[in-house]
Structure formats: structure tokens, C-alpha cells
Amino acid sequence: GGSRSDSPRVKALLALWLLGAWLTPAPAAASGSMRCGSRLLSEGMLAAEAVAICGEPDFVDVWPSPRGHGYGYGLHDSIEEWIYNRGSSQLLRVLQIRNGRIHSIGTEGYGFAEQGAGSCGQTDILRGMTKYRLLARCGEPLARVADHVFVPDRRHRRGSLHDSYNAVIRVYREEWTYNFGSNQLLRIVVLENGRVEDVRVGRRGFDP
């Protein structure tokens, strides 16, 4: 008789394994990278390469440098956050740009069709959502203010400027006020480094 490796059972199992390996899709781009067609974008590459490989971003958010330089040592460049929206079947890709290079590549939920802001209520504003998604869902706020502030140093705070002292870090904080009409209270949306951090209530809103 033939060897065990030549048995019909072994041959059948080997054929199934090869078929499964062939059908298994190639692994997705690793964390910290982004695939556009056949080309791969990685952290550390030039921002100009992102445009050349993936095209212009769908949204650009700029966090300006602190006014003056009394917040820490050295100079502080502005940070840009680029968001690519490839539709509802793919995740939003979020690139943080510093000094003309890609500092980080991440994701934030699935994309969406850009159809302009629709009906938006207080329950549509969720903690952790990007500024881009907030604008797409609720449109421009009634008013906004912004400044750099120090906050408690919570682990994994996205986009912190890494100036820490006594367990605090500096973030770019914005407060956007939304008016949903006279039957609801004003909503003050607090964003830190481009993400919704908190939603507070104000006085009663008003009809246009």
C-alpha cells in the first residue's frame, strides 16, 4: 500500500486547506496605515503623499497653535486632522498631520453619503463623534468659541499636544451652541481636539 500522505483522506483535506487559503481575503491594512486602491499610505509619510495617493480629504480641521508660548517649552505648530469619507461601506479614515507629515492614521465609525445637514436633535449628538460627523448631522452651530485649555491627563486622549505637568495636558477646546427651537433648551456641545467630549444645556431656545 501507499504511504499515509498519499491516502484519499489526506489528499482531500489538503485540497480543502488549499481552497480555503485561496479564498481567504488578503489582510486589511494594518493599524496606522490606509490603503487607497493598490497603494498604501503609512504614518510618517509626507502629507503631500496622502493627497497624491488618496486624493484631497473630504474634511480638514485645523487646531491652531496656542497664543503666545507660555503654555510650555518650545514652539508649538498647528495640528491638522484630515478625514476621508469613502461611503457607508467603509470606515472614516482620520489622519493627523503635524509638521507636514502624517503623525497618525485612525478610524471613526462608518462613512456616510454627504447630503447636507438634516433634522438634528439633542439625541443625535453623541460623545466621541468627530467634528466632521457633527457638522454633517447638525450643520453649523448658532455660535462657537475656542481656546487652548489644560485638562486632567486621561489615557489615550486623541491628539493631545503632550505638554503635561501635574497630570494635566493641553487640548484645543471648542464650545458650539445649537438652537433646536423654542420647545427645547439650547445645547452647548464641548469638543476637545475635534471630538465631542460633553453636551450641556443652556437657556430655552428660540424660533428663527
Side-chain angles (χ1 to χ4, degrees), residues 101-169:
R101 289 190 178 273
I102 302 171
H103 178 75
S104 65
I105 301 177
T107 61
E108 192 268 326
Y110 280 92
F112 49 87
E114 296 190 70
Q115 300 175 336
S119 177
C120 175
Q122 61 191 57
T123 58
D124 294 309
I125 304 174
L126 304 176
R127 188 174 183 271
M129 71 191 308
T130 59
K131 182 188 298 186
Y132 174 59
R133 194 182 296 276
L134 175 63
L135 284 169
R137 185 173 294 182
C138 298
E140 291 287 342
L142 176 68
R144 63 171 85 189
V145 295
D147 203 356
H148 290 269
V149 299
F150 282 108
V151 299
D153 185 3
R154 295 193 290 271
R155 293 289 181 180
H156 310 300
R157 178 181 292 277
R158 179 176 180 83
S160 66
L161 298 184
H162 302 296
D163 291 326
S164 60
Y165 181 71
N166 290 338
V168 296
I169 58 174

Side-chain angles (χ1 to χ4, degrees), residues 73-87:
Y73 299 102
L75 300 177
H76 303 285
D77 293 321
S78 62
I79 294 176
E80 293 186 16
E81 192 165 81
W82 294 8
I83 297 183
Y84 286 86
N85 179 4
R86 296 296 187 249

Side-chain angles (χ1 to χ4, degrees), residues 3-192:
S3 66
R4 180 174 300 176
S5 62
D6 292 332
S7 70
R9 175 179 172 79
V10 171
K11 288 181 178 179
L13 290 174
L14 180 60
L16 287 173
W17 181 84
L18 289 172
L19 178 62
W22 180 71
L23 290 175
T24 300
S31 177
S33 62
M34 171 182 171
R35 187 174 296 280
C36 293
S38 61
R39 303 182 66 184
L40 191 66
L41 195 67
S42 302
E43 293 173 356
M45 296 175 69
L46 292 170
E49 292 180 273
V51 176
I53 293 173
C54 299
E56 294 285 347
D58 295 281
F59 180 76
V60 175
D61 187 22
V62 179
W63 313 336
S65 302
R67 290 173 297 180
H69 299 295
Y71 290 96
Y73 299 102
L75 300 177
H76 303 285
D77 293 321
S78 62
I79 294 176
E80 293 186 16
E81 192 165 81
W82 294 8
I83 297 183
Y84 286 86
N85 179 4
R86 296 296 187 249
S88 58
S89 63
Q90 298 186 48
L91 294 171
L92 288 179
R93 304 312 301 262
V94 183
L95 279 60
Q96 190 177 111
I97 309 296
R98 300 189 186 192
N99 300 321
R101 289 190 178 273
I102 302 171
H103 178 75
S104 65
I105 301 177
T107 61
E108 192 268 326
Y110 280 92
F112 49 87
E114 296 190 70
Q115 300 175 336
S119 177
C120 175
Q122 61 191 57
T123 58
D124 294 309
I125 304 174
L126 304 176
R127 188 174 183 271
M129 71 191 308
T130 59
K131 182 188 298 186
Y132 174 59
R133 194 182 296 276
L134 175 63
L135 284 169
R137 185 173 294 182
C138 298
E140 291 287 342
L142 176 68
R144 63 171 85 189
V145 295
D147 203 356
H148 290 269
V149 299
F150 282 108
V151 299
D153 185 3
R154 295 193 290 271
R155 293 289 181 180
H156 310 300
R157 178 181 292 277
R158 179 176 180 83
S160 66
L161 298 184
H162 302 296
D163 291 326
S164 60
Y165 181 71
N166 290 338
V168 296
I169 58 174
R170 189 181 67 246
V171 300
Y172 183 58
R173 174 178 287 173
E174 301 170 80
E175 292 188 0
W176 292 11
T177 301
Y178 278 96
N179 172 34
F180 297 126
S182 59
N183 61 338
Q184 296 190 49
L185 298 176
L186 295 175
R187 286 298 187 276
I188 297 93
V189 182
V190 179
L191 300 105
E192 292 183 0

